[in-house]
């Protein structure tokens, strides 16, 4: 079992999980380094560290903007790993890298996996590498200490859902709706069936992401699974005048909502139906 | 193409051996040296005993001749394959103690050693195996030059080097190799053959037609290129599209409807015009394939009609598209209007500035044009935005890609719908000249007109094929779009192909006077053809393209698109014999304002320089 899995399984027995997405080096390197411990203190259970790419196909306008700003200020995969290693010892929660295939290939897959592990990164999300999309790369990740987190989409077939659930490591990332990151979550009648299919094939924590923008959508989503992933809405707070405080307050608010709804999941279920 | 031998290497389990035998493999290889697929004698005997009608080979590296002979005897090996440089003495020792036939593996770098190849040819070995060295960077393939120099030794040659269903067939068609050797290309994990991949590989090699370009297997790989690097959300849509495409491309009704629309709506077949004045200047016949005469003024409509017919059969009601110069956008908007479908076109705001007339045409045709302001505000960003729209609407919309790029099956589908250009040209060239062309030239941005034009000529190795890439202000300027000439393999918009990128894997800004060529990537099949050396891709600068633009206006009375002007410029600077066939992919009316403005600024620049 990879390290990430141990942590996430353990933590999900205690509370609903909250994963916070941040773009490496955003809003700037100094504040980024201060931000991550603050997110932990505010209630995040893991950090998804976005490695900027010039053409992020799976991301909506907010994360595109943050990526472009980070690249403009000199952010690279190598620099992001350096920032991660400077945070070692300052974070008790895991760091999971989220990046696109091209910078990974450019860095060298084997070398990236080794350097990322050395920088304290314990998982990897590759939104443009579907299962069976590149067997050489996938085999290298499988043999590395990094957990490969699979995304399950509302459009995934039953056969694919079961394979995704069985091959995912660390946790399972449920994409809440068709579309890119950001925007609003929409009612999706097929999700309960998908969640059932995933649960039948895996005991890993199941987290929902894409379109979780506030306390209400977070508790509604978490009522059906083990937690949520928040990206665009957090990045928007980081674009404000007082980014660190705004981000910390936002995450703390989501944390309270998740803890509250877990105590009274009946209410959350009710809300999610309306 | 005579019957090719298929060797399945790195077999570690009797179950895989039996399946390979049943599917018609000729030789099974077992690895006795250090490898993730290594077997011991006991395993090898078990594998050998499990099959009857297939020859067995053992792979060795640095093993004493006597030990090889013992293993060969114990495991029933018909062949022994040696993976290190061998000496004459070693070979004669081995022949003295074993009846097994000898295969010697060579790598491209050894092919320059003529003495070594002569020694091997004289030593009575059975055959050579040409393989790539371990640890090649992604996107490496054998080249036709390598294969030709190995077959020139006179020893029968099998080829390896990370082959898959596509590259095995393509390289067999283009060379005199007697067979193929595959290991990892039919596996998901080392040593475990994947039944569907094994079956797909063997079937593809067995059913390969002589002149027809192969299609990739289910993984969408064109040699090492291509694939489908997309969000999970799109995987089902692409699978459905692949199935629909392979079903309908052989469906009589579909083909008949497509043929009718191409004839009566698009105005095919287009003429192959013998450009008399240009021919005189060149001293050889110059033949222009008049795709500029297709309805809407460019070759783009060929593909749009094909894909829209497919989309309609799949129940899609909406078309989504990206456009650079606007030619593809106009063609999609035209098709959508004709077929009563909705249409959204993404166009970079920089391109809207350069290609205003096409924006207005799309709107007249009822399409919704969405300007894209992100990134470089050109084709690359329009494509990303169209894909994002598709991710959100893949239940009801078809993404109609206009170039031979994108995830599988798009590059192959676009090629097949555009192959009408090459198929007509081949026939027309024979009618006009009684001969094949000596040289065929087309411009390459993503590469749809080029792949369509080249398709039937690729297997004809006497025909020289040239692709004109956008050289912008020149290769040294950094302002160009020459992905094949100056890029390296990478992933953009769903497939692995040559890509202009910086050292950190960020896609680089590109420049071309032609909005249709202003793209940092290129179709994956072009990457393969470049990598094996079948097509030569060369840069043509903005200035050269402009000169060719004017030349054609004044000498032949045709105003060409700036994209096509690149092909023309490359054709006119190329020496050679035999008919010179140029794909005139589109008309230049859309470019007139831009040409005049560019010339004014170039003249001002020249003044300042003087």
């Amino acid at each position: 079992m990879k390290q990430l899995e141990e942590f996430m399984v353990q933590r999900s027995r205690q509370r609903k999980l909250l994963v916070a997405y941040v773009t490496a080096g955003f809003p700037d390197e100094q504040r980024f380094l201060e931000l991550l411990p603050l997110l932990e203190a505010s209630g995040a259970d893991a950090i998804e560290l976005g490695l900027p790419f010039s053409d992020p196909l799976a991301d909506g306008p907010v994360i595109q903007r943050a990526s472009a700003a980070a690249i403009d200020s000199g952010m690279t995969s190598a620099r992001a790993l350096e920032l991660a290693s400077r945070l070692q010892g300052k974070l008790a929660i895991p760091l999971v890298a989220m990046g696109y295939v091209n910078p990974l290939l450019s860095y060298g897959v084997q070398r990236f996996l080794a350097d990322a592990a050395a920088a304290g990164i314990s998982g990897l999300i590759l939104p443009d590498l579907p299962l069976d999309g590149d067997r050489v790369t996938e085999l290298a990740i499988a043999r590395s200490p990094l957990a490969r987190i699979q995304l399950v989409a509302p459009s995934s077939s039953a056969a694919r859902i079961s394979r995704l659930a069985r091959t995912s490591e660390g946790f399972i990332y449920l994409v809440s709706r068709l579309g890119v990151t950001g925007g609003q979550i929409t009612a999706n009648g097929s999700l309960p069936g998908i969640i059932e299919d995933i649960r039948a094939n895996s005991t890993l924590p199941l987290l929902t992401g894409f379109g979780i923008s506030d306390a209400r959508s977070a508790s509604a989503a978490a009522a059906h699974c083990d937690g949520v992933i928040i990206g665009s809405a957090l990045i928007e707070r980081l674009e404000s005048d007082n980014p660190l405080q705004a981000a910390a307050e936002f995450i703390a608010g989501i944390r309270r909502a998740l803890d509250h709804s877990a105590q009274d999941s009946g209410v959350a279920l009710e809300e999610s139906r309306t | 193409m005579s019957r090719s031998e298929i060797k399945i290497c790195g077999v570690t389990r009797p179950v895989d051996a039996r399946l390979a035998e049943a599917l018609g493999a000729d030789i099974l290889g077992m690895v006795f040296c250090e490898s993730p697929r290594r077997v011991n004698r006991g395993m090898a005997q078990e594998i050998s005993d499990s099959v009857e009608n297939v020859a067995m080979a053992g792979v060795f590296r640095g093993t004493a001749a006597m030990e090889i002979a013992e293993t060969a005897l114990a495991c029933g090996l018909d062949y022994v394959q040696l993976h290190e440089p061998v000496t004459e003495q070693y070979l004669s020792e081995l022949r003295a103690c074993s009846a097994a036939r000898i295969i010697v593996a060579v790598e491209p770098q050894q092919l320059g050693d003529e003495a070594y190849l002569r020694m091997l040819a004289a030593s009575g070995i059975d055959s050579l195996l040409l393989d790539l060295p371990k640890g090649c960077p992604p996107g490496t393939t054998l080249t036709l030059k390598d294969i030709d120099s190995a077959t020139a030794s006179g020893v029968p040659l099998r080829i390896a080097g990370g082959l898959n269903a596509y590259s095995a067939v393509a390289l067999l068609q283009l060379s005199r190799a007697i067979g193929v050797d595959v290991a990892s290309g039919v596996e998901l994990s080392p040593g475990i053959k994947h039944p569907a991949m094994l079956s797909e590989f063997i079937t593809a090699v067995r059913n390969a037609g002589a002149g027809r370009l192969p299609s990739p297997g289910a993984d969408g790989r064109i040699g090492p290129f291509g694939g489908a690097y997309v969000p999970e959300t799109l995987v089902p849509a692409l699978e459905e599209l692949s199935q629909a495409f392979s079903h309908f491309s052989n469906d009589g009704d579909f083909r008949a409807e497509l043929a009718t629309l191409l004839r009566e709506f698009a105005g095919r077949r287009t003429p192959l015009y013998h450009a008399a004045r240009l021919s005189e200047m060149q001293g050889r016949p110059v033949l222009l394939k008049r795709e500029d005469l297709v309805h809407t003024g460019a070759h783009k409509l060929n593909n749009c009609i094909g894909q829209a017919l497919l989309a309609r059969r799949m129940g899609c009601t909406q078309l989504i598209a990206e456009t650079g110069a606007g030619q593809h956008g106009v063609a999609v908007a035209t098709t959508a209007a004709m077929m009563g479908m909705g249409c959204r076109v993404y166009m970079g705001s920089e391109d809207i500035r350069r290609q205003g007339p096409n924006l207005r045409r799309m709107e007249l045709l009822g399409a919704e044009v969405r300007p894209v302001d992100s990134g470089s505000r050109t084709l690359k960003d329009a494509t990303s935005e169209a894909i994002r729209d598709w991710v959100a609407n893949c239940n009801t919309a078809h993404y109609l890609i206009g170039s031979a790029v994108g995830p599988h099956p798009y590059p192959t589908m676009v090629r097949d719908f555009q192959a009408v250009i090459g198929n007509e040209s081949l026939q027309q060239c024979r009618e006009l000249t009684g001969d094949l062309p000596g040289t065929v030239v087309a411009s390459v941005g993503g590469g749809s007109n080029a792949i369509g034009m080249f398709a039937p000529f690729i297997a004809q190795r006497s025909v020289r094929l040239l692709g004109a890439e956008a050289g912008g202000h020149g290769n040294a300027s950094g302002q160009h779009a020459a992905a094949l000439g100056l890029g390296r393999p990478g992933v953009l918009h769903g497939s692995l192909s040559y890509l202009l990128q910086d050292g950190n894997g960020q896609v680089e800004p590109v420049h071309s006077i032609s909005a249709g060529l202003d793209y940092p990537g290129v179709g994956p099949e072009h990457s393969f053809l470049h990598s094996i050396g079948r097509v030569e891709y060369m840069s043509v600068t903005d200035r050269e393209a402009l000169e060719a633009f004017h030349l054609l206006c004044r000498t032949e009375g045709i105003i060409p698109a700036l994209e096509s002007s690149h092909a023309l410029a490359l054709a006119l600077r190329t020496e050679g014999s035999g008919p010179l066939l140029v794909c005139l992919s589109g008309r230049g009316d859309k470019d007139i304002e831009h040409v005049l403005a560019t010339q004014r600024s170039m003249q001002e620049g020249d003044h300042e320089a003087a």
Side-chain angles (χ1 to χ4, degrees):
Chain A
M1 191 199 287
K2 294 187 177 176
Q3 203 187 343
L4 178 66
E5 186 167 328
E6 223 164 301
F7 181 93
M8 297 300 272
V9 168
Q10 188 70 32
R11 188 58 79 98
S12 74
R13 292 195 186 117
Q14 297 155 15
R15 62 183 189 181
K16 292 286 183 184
L17 298 175
L18 172 52
V19 175
Y21 169 94
V22 288
T23 299
F26 189 79
D28 55 60
E29 286 192 8
Q30 191 47 51
R31 284 187 287 186
F32 173 83
L33 290 171
E34 290 167 37
L35 171 67
L36 270 58
L38 212 52
L39 293 177
E40 178 179 346
S42 308
D45 299 300
I47 304 285
E48 191 183 327
L49 176 66
L51 307 177
F53 178 47
S54 52
D55 299 81
L57 270 189
D59 285 306
V62 176
I63 293 178
Q64 285 178 51
R65 211 158 53 220
S67 288
I71 292 171
D72 284 345
S73 67
M75 187 49 54
T76 62
S77 303
R79 187 83 193 128
L81 295 185
E82 263 177 64
L83 293 179
S85 52
R86 281 168 63 183
L87 285 160
Q88 279 183 314
K90 292 176 184 158
L91 283 180
I93 56 173
L95 271 179
V96 172
M98 189 306 254
Y100 288 81
V101 169
N102 197 54
L104 183 71
L105 293 180
S106 179
Y107 195 102
V109 175
Q110 295 286 3
R111 192 163 77 88
F112 177 86
L113 293 168
D115 291 356
I121 288 173
S122 57
L124 189 55
I125 300 172
L126 295 166
D128 62 343
L129 182 61
L131 178 63
D132 301 335
D134 182 331
R135 62 198 153 80
V136 177
T137 302
E138 293 178 275
L139 196 61
I141 302 168
R143 289 176 173 169
S144 79
L146 271 67
R148 179 176 180 201
I149 295 126
Q150 300 283 10
L151 294 104
V152 179
S155 52
S156 303
S157 65
R160 235 179 125 78
I161 292 171
S162 96
R163 287 195 57 224
L164 288 163
R166 282 183 282 121
T167 53
S168 193
E169 300 172 321
F171 62 90
I172 296 168
Y173 192 140
L174 176 63
V175 175
S176 70
R177 56 167 167 71
L178 303 180
V180 293
T181 57
Q184 294 296 312
I185 199 162
T186 46
N188 188 328
S190 64
L191 279 188
I194 293 173
I195 292 171
E196 211 171 290
D197 286 351
I198 295 172
R199 296 293 199 199
N201 287 284
S202 171
T203 55
L204 282 181
L206 173 63
L207 277 68
T208 302
F210 281 48
I212 311 287
S213 57
D214 53 21
R216 189 183 167 83
S217 52
S219 17
H224 304 282
C225 65
D226 303 306
V228 294
I229 302 158
I230 298 196
S232 297
L234 176 58
I235 298 290
E236 278 175 334
R237 302 307 187 281
L238 291 172
E239 290 175 327
S240 69
D241 289 337
N242 197 348
L244 295 185
Q245 193 189 342
E249 281 171 8
F250 176 67
I251 289 299
I254 304 283
R255 176 80 268 160
R256 279 194 301 276
L258 290 177
D259 292 346
H260 177 73
S261 64
Q263 284 162 12
D264 192 358
S265 57
V267 174
L269 270 171
E270 205 54 47
E271 277 183 5
S272 72
R273 290 203 187 101
T274 57
Chain B
M1 201 166 106
S2 56
R3 185 183 184 280
S4 302
E5 273 188 19
I6 299 174
K7 176 164 175 276
I8 305 296
C9 208
V11 175
T12 62
R13 309 187 303 171
V15 58
D16 295 341
R18 282 192 296 268
L19 179 62
E21 178 188 37
L23 290 166
D26 301 291
I27 307 174
L28 303 183
M30 298 180 289
V31 182
F32 292 90
C33 49
E34 195 47 52
S35 158
R37 300 179 184 85
R38 183 179 197 157
V39 294
N40 57 36
R41 273 194 200 172
M43 291 160 78
Q45 282 161 346
E46 204 187 320
I47 294 167
S48 223
D49 288 345
S50 69
V51 289
E52 285 174 4
N53 298 314
V54 61
M56 301 304 297
V59 176
F60 301 89
R61 182 188 299 273
T63 309
M66 188 52 82
E67 194 186 329
I68 293 181
E70 284 167 11
T71 307
L73 201 60
C75 305
L77 301 181
D78 306 283
Y79 294 87
V80 296
Q81 180 174 315
L82 309 173
H83 271 259
E84 72 280 290
V86 289
T87 61
E88 207 170 346
Q89 193 195 340
Y90 177 77
L91 288 175
S92 68
E93 274 173 39
L94 186 54
R95 295 186 64 200
C97 60
S98 173
R101 289 182 271 179
I102 300 172
I103 303 170
V104 175
V106 290
E107 293 176 358
Q109 63 186 33
Q110 291 173 278
L111 296 171
D113 188 346
E114 285 173 26
Y116 184 57
L117 290 183
R118 269 200 306 277
M119 184 278 284
L120 291 177
S123 69
I125 63 167
D126 174 81
S127 49
L128 291 175
L129 175 79
L130 182 58
D131 201 357
L132 287 171
K134 295 272 168 274
C136 288
T140 311
T141 64
L142 289 176
T143 65
L144 293 177
K145 197 165 156 260
D146 296 335
I147 298 173
D148 291 347
S149 42
T151 51
S153 69
V155 186
L157 176 77
R158 288 187 198 83
I159 49 177
L163 296 178
N164 52 28
Y166 177 96
S167 55
V169 173
L171 292 174
L172 283 170
Q173 283 178 344
L174 291 170
S175 74
R176 288 183 287 132
I178 61 157
V180 288
D181 181 308
V182 68
S184 67
V186 293
E187 296 174 342
L188 287 177
S189 58
I192 311 297
K193 304 304 174 200
H194 190 271
M197 292 169 84
L198 194 59
S199 159
E200 185 180 82
F201 183 88
I202 294 175
T203 309
V205 175
R206 285 283 169 260
N207 295 349
R212 221 172 132 229
L213 267 178
S215 289
D219 64 356
R221 293 283 167 172
I222 298 174
F225 302 104
Y229 295 87
V230 293
E232 172 64 25
T233 309
L234 290 181
V235 171
L238 287 171
E239 280 172 3
E240 196 191 338
L241 184 60
S242 288
Q243 280 167 13
F245 174 59
S246 59
H247 173 74
F248 287 113
S249 50
N250 295 311
D251 176 83
D253 286 348
F254 179 85
R255 296 175 66 92
E257 192 178 359
L258 178 59
T260 303
L261 286 173
L262 287 178
R263 190 177 62 241
E264 291 167 13
F265 185 70
R268 300 206 73 91
R269 77 178 192 182
T270 58
L272 186 68
Y273 171 62
H274 178 242
R277 297 184 63 199
L278 278 182
S279 300
E280 201 171 308
M281 287 168 57
Q282 288 301 111
R284 64 195 285 206
V286 176
L287 307 176
L288 302 178
K289 180 59 174 168
R290 298 293 307 274
E291 292 300 297
D292 59 318
L293 296 178
V294 176
H295 177 41
T296 73
H299 71 288
K300 294 290 185 188
L301 193 66
N302 305 329
N303 167 53
C304 289
I305 293 176
Q307 284 198 45
L309 283 178
L310 198 59
R312 191 161 69 181
R313 278 170 169 73
M314 291 168 67
C316 296
T317 52
Q318 181 82 26
L319 300 176
I320 302 168
E322 80 295 333
T323 195
Q327 289 302 106
H328 174 58
V330 167
V332 179
T334 299
T335 310
M338 182 261 290
M339 293 180 53
M341 300 171 91
C343 180
R344 271 197 301 280
V345 181
Y346 291 86
M347 187 170 186
S349 51
E350 168 63 15
D351 289 336
I352 289 179
R353 190 185 63 77
R354 288 193 280 192
Q355 310 281 343
N358 276 339
L359 170 74
R360 289 182 285 279
R361 289 167 81 194
M362 286 184 269
E363 287 173 346
L364 277 175
L365 291 159
E368 180 196 348
V369 181
R370 296 191 176 170
V372 176
D373 278 319
S374 56
S376 56
R377 304 187 175 94
T378 59
L379 179 56
K380 175 192 77 139
D381 307 284
T383 306
S384 297
E385 227 24 64
I387 294 175
R388 291 187 185 108
D389 183 332
W390 190 38
V391 174
N393 296 292
C394 54
N395 285 341
T396 53
H398 172 71
Y399 176 30
L400 207 165
I401 298 187
S403 196
V405 302
H408 176 71
Y410 281 102
T412 306
M413 187 163 71
V414 174
R415 175 196 77 190
D416 288 359
F417 286 135
Q418 291 293 6
V420 66
I421 304 173
N423 292 335
E424 286 179 6
S425 298
L426 176 66
Q427 198 189 344
Q428 290 166 311
C429 185
R430 284 202 166 120
E431 287 165 10
L432 271 173
T433 70
D435 206 354
L436 283 172
T439 310
V440 179
V441 191
S443 63
V444 180
S448 69
N449 86 86
I451 202 70
M453 175 56 105
F454 294 159
F457 296 107
I458 286 173
Q460 311 283 346
R461 284 195 62 190
S462 66
V463 179
R464 188 174 180 204
L465 301 177
L466 299 177
E469 290 200 286
H473 297 315
N475 287 354
S477 70
Q479 292 181 297
H480 54 76
L484 290 162
L486 298 164
R488 62 191 166 90
V491 173
L492 177 68
H493 296 148
S495 63
L496 179 76
S497 194
Y498 272 75
L499 178 64
L500 289 164
Q501 53 180 317
D502 69 14
N504 298 307
Q506 307 295 354
V507 179
E508 287 198 307
V510 292
H511 162 81
S512 169
I513 186 174
S514 147
L517 304 182
D518 202 353
Y519 183 70
V522 65
E525 199 159 21
H526 287 294
S527 287
F528 180 77
L529 295 168
H530 167 68
S531 188
I532 66 168
R534 176 62 189 98
V535 181
E536 299 158 70
Y537 296 87
M538 298 177 193
S539 279
V540 171
T541 62
D542 290 353
R543 211 174 266 267
E544 290 173 293
L546 274 175
E547 283 165 17
F549 174 90
H550 286 294
L551 182 72
L552 197 68
C553 292
R554 303 231 172 155
T555 56
E556 297 291 350
I558 299 170
I559 302 175
L562 281 171
E563 292 75 21
S564 321
S565 303
H566 283 72
L568 194 67
L570 178 56
L572 297 180
R573 73 179 198 214
T574 301
E575 311 254 315
S577 58
L580 176 58
L581 170 60
V582 184
C583 188
L584 205 68
S585 56
R587 57 193 282 170
D589 305 48
K590 68 184 173 62
D591 294 315
I592 292 169
E593 285 306 312
H594 184 52
V595 164
L596 296 177
T598 307
Q599 273 173 332
R600 275 195 298 275
S601 69
M602 275 184 177
Q603 277 158 7
E604 281 159 20
D606 288 345
H607 274 298
E608 279 165 27

